[in-house]
């Protein structure tokens, strides 16, 4: 006998708030995609940051570009995009002002660092387990 479960957890808050940053690291890129798409459809400016340890682990760059006003790609080893962690461009964007929300999905340390970085600038952050 087959069993099905779902959905579980709480749905993401999708509102028109202005500029939002969607950060996805590793497998977190997959679940951040529908959130970025929904935020864009709600009329927000969506800046997405996707990250992986190296280029071979990076995926859905084209899909994320389609639902983003701006896409920033980072890799830990510099093999694709910027050679940095997600928090570097996140900090630069928050410093510029006007960011309403930050969504982050990925490894625990990525989510923790994104939340800490956005908090420094008084920006609301929402993290989701992938």
């Amino acid at each position: 006998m087959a069993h099905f479960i779902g959905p579980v957890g709480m749905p993401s808050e999708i509102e028109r708030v202005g500029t939002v940053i969607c950060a996805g690291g590793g497998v977190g890129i997959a679940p951040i995609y529908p959130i970025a798409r929904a935020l864009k459809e709600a009329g927000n400016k969506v800046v997405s940051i996707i990250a992986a340890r190296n280029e071979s682990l990076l995926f859905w760059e084209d899909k994320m570009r389609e639902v983003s006003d701006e896409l920033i790609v980072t890799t830990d080893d510099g093999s694709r995009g910027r050679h940095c962690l997600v928090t570097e461009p996140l900090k630069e964007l928050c410093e510029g002002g006007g960011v309403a929300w930050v969504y982050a999905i990925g490894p625990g340390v990525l989510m923790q660092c994104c939340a800490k970085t956005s908090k420094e600038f008084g920006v609301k952050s929402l993290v989701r387990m992938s």
Side-chain angles (χ1 to χ4, degrees), residues 1-125:
M1 175 177 5
H3 297 278
F4 294 93
I5 186 169
V8 295
M10 296 178 60
S12 297
E13 297 176 36
I14 305 295
E15 299 175 23
R16 186 175 185 169
V17 295
T19 300
V20 294
I21 298 171
C22 293
V27 297
I29 296 169
I32 203 73
Y33 169 75
I35 294 170
R37 183 183 60 211
L39 288 165
K40 181 70 177 163
E41 290 171 356
N44 295 289
K45 177 182 178 186
V46 176
V47 179
S48 297
I49 307 169
I50 59 172
R53 280 184 271 150
N54 59 57
E55 183 177 21
S56 69
L57 298 173
L58 196 61
F59 64 98
W60 282 13
E61 184 176 344
D62 55 336
K63 290 176 76 85
M64 289 300 295
R65 193 173 308 282
E66 289 174 7
V67 299
S68 305
D69 292 287
E70 180 182 350
L71 177 66
I72 300 167
V73 177
T74 71
T75 51
D76 294 356
D77 67 356
S79 56
R80 177 97 175 116
R82 290 179 59 174
H83 181 193
C84 63
L85 300 177
V86 168
T87 50
E88 188 174 310
L90 175 61
K91 182 178 180 182
E92 293 165 1
L93 291 164
C94 289
E95 283 175 336
V99 175
W101 283 357
V102 172
Y103 284 83
I105 303 178
V109 69
L110 176 141
M111 295 186 297
Q112 182 181 20
C113 291
C114 285
K116 181 180 176 186
T117 300
S118 64
K119 184 177 181 180
E120 291 175 27
F121 298 94
V123 177
K124 181 179 177 179
S125 63

